[in-house]
Amino acid sequence: MKPLACCWLFTLLLVAPQIGTAADQRPNFLFILVDDQSPLDLKLYNPRSTLETPVIDSLAARGMVIDGAYHMGAHVGAVCTPSRHMIMSGRTLWRLPIAPWGEKNCPPNLEQQTLPAVFRRAGYATMRTCKMGNSYEAANRLYEVRRDATKRGPTAESGSHWHAEQVLDYLAERKRSGDARPFLIDFGFSHPHDTRDGTPELLARYGAVNHTDQDHSPSLNPKAPPLPLDYLPAHPFDNTHLDVRDEVAVSGVWRKRDEASIRNEIGRQYACSENIDLQIGRVLSRLEELGELANTYIVYTADHGMSLGRHGLMGKQNLYQHTWRVPFIIAGPGIAAGQRLEGNIYLHDVLPTFCDYAGISPPETNEGLSLRPLLEGQRQTLREVLYGVYSGGGKPGMRAVKRGDWKLIEYESSDRGARETQLFNLQENPDEYLPEHHSPEVRSLTGVQPAARQTNLAGDPRHAGELEMMRAVLLEEMRKWDDPYRFSFQPADELPPVPARAPRQRPRN
Ligand SMILES: [Ca+2]
């Protein structure tokens, strides 16, 4: 063959699978993203949970559950927004276009390097349904088919059923038109984010009501889920943003932290979460009928965790494990069934993972890592250290680092006078108990056992070495990820003042 013809053939071979021919055997991707769910809501992560999720459980049985899945955090109260930017772009927090130094730290037009843009260019059919707002609008517009609306009501038309209908309609249309391209479907839900208006049948199952009376607590229903073991009636100190919307204005709870209010709200959360499970089941059944399921990678996750009474908090604006972590389940071709590992992954690893399985080069702007070494049994973790941020209230706010069993959380806001350090050994104290969890009043409500006595170790001189080590890790991570702030106990690093961003952020996610 002449060199020119050889070159032409090579080009054709490269391009052929990218243009959606009938012979395109590349896998499909179904990315399921729920709004505001702690891994601890799910029995898969918390045996005490009473939430029934048979579909998610069966997905986990077919694939892998990752225990250590995290989001890098938020510089605003609407934690959703940066989290969804990171998922879509594979980029880290302070290098997003919406970060304070975004123009300096992020190349322009990042939306052209996001999941819908990258997969569309590679010849994939792309479709999305999700809530509106507090997301990544410039990227969301790039899906070929987009059916977004915020659906947090108690009926089929006003709730999670609607999102599933959009996917089912899309699959029907795809079959009618004979579209043979592989697909990327972004299957998002507006729930269990508040307002958690569950359907009457599911609310009854969890002993909950769609409570609307701000002046009174709901009646305590014995069928409501139990209080979490790490429940507190109040957070013990100012964490730099205790007045954020989620801590004071969630309909059904507001500032209340009494047992009946919290258990009712968890019941509502579970009612909405079980409905999501039912809706995912409808879509997976249809994919199976269509013969698409076996060639589809499916991820189930949430944009961030939630507290729901844990540590006296209601919202997502903290860095305890219940909120910093997310549920993460993945199944698909070549992933062995029934696996579970720590992983140490971030949500922004989704983009490079999907690219890897689709045979697409991830964009140069991507900073995430492919999960493939975990999924194929070569590694147990992708990283040694995890770094987390909440900087939506007082500055610098909260920072967390985790390395091995050790976790440090620092809190500081000079204008609010907040300053606190927490050091936990997560092997010995996985629920991050504080001394307040062991007060007789709290114990009588939660049943926390005296054996679980370890609490915050930051002030314990026997662990001064670990504290020093973790503070060094924190500084290293803050420098590594272009954190624009420093705590008062850290070197100033000659950082310029952080520019104020236009306050477009509504404190809702
Ligand atoms: Ca959210």
Side-chain angles (χ1 to χ4, degrees), residues 34-37 79-81 83-84 131 134 152 193 302-306 316 509:
V34 304
D35 199 0
D36 294 19
Q37 185 180 64
V79 179
C80 265
T81 305
S83 171
R84 287 159 189 260
K131 68 168 180 178
N134 285 316
R152 293 186 181 132
H193 187 295
D303 55 352
H304 45 76
M306 279 304 281
K316 54 212 146 229
N509 326 7

Side-chain angles (χ1 to χ4, degrees), residues 8 42 89 115 168 181 191 372 422 442 451 460 463 502 508:
W8 178 83
L42 299 171
S89 65
L115 269 171
L168 294 174
R181 295 173 297 165
H191 263 150
R372 216 161 156 164
Q422 293 174 322
V442 172
D460 185 336
H463 295 289
R508 279 187 64 89

Side-chain angles (χ1 to χ4, degrees), residues 232-366:
L232 286 178
H235 194 256
F237 56 87
D238 178 3
N239 72 358
T240 72
H241 212 182
L242 283 182
D243 54 348
V244 66
R245 176 251 178 208
D246 280 15
E247 298 299 336
V248 299
V250 169
S251 174
V253 183
W254 301 281
R255 294 173 186 268
K256 298 186 184 74
R257 298 293 185 270
D258 59 285
E259 181 181 9
S261 294
I262 294 297
R263 289 179 61 185
N264 185 67
E265 195 65 15
I266 297 174
R268 296 175 80 184
Q269 171 93 351
Y270 286 5
C272 296
S273 298
E274 183 172 339
N275 192 15
I276 286 172
D277 190 75
L278 290 166
Q279 303 310 324
I280 295 170
R282 294 170 64 217
V283 168
L284 297 190
S285 297
R286 185 67 56 85
L287 286 174
E288 190 160 31
E289 287 161 18
L290 293 168
E292 303 265 33
L293 192 61
N295 196 31
T296 301
Y297 286 95
I298 303 167
V299 166
Y300 175 88
T301 189
D303 55 352
H304 45 76
M306 279 304 281
S307 43
L308 290 173
R310 301 173 181 111
H311 289 87
L313 301 168
M314 266 312 292
K316 54 212 146 229
Q317 294 87 358
N318 71 82
L319 296 173
Y320 292 112
Q321 292 295 88
H322 45 67
T323 300
W324 186 22
R325 285 195 306 159
V326 293
F328 199 97
I329 295 147
I330 179 166
I335 300 175
Q339 300 184 79
R340 182 163 200 140
L341 48 70
E342 190 62 27
N344 285 351
I345 71 165
Y346 288 116
L347 280 176
H348 60 260
D349 296 329
V350 167
L351 169 76
T353 303
F354 284 4
C355 285
D356 198 348
Y357 278 115
I360 301 170
S361 297
E364 284 183 11
T365 45
N366 165 62

Side-chain angles (χ1 to χ4, degrees), residues 222-237:
K223 283 170 68 185
L227 282 176
L229 288 173
D230 49 1
Y231 160 85
L232 286 178
H235 194 256
F237 56 87

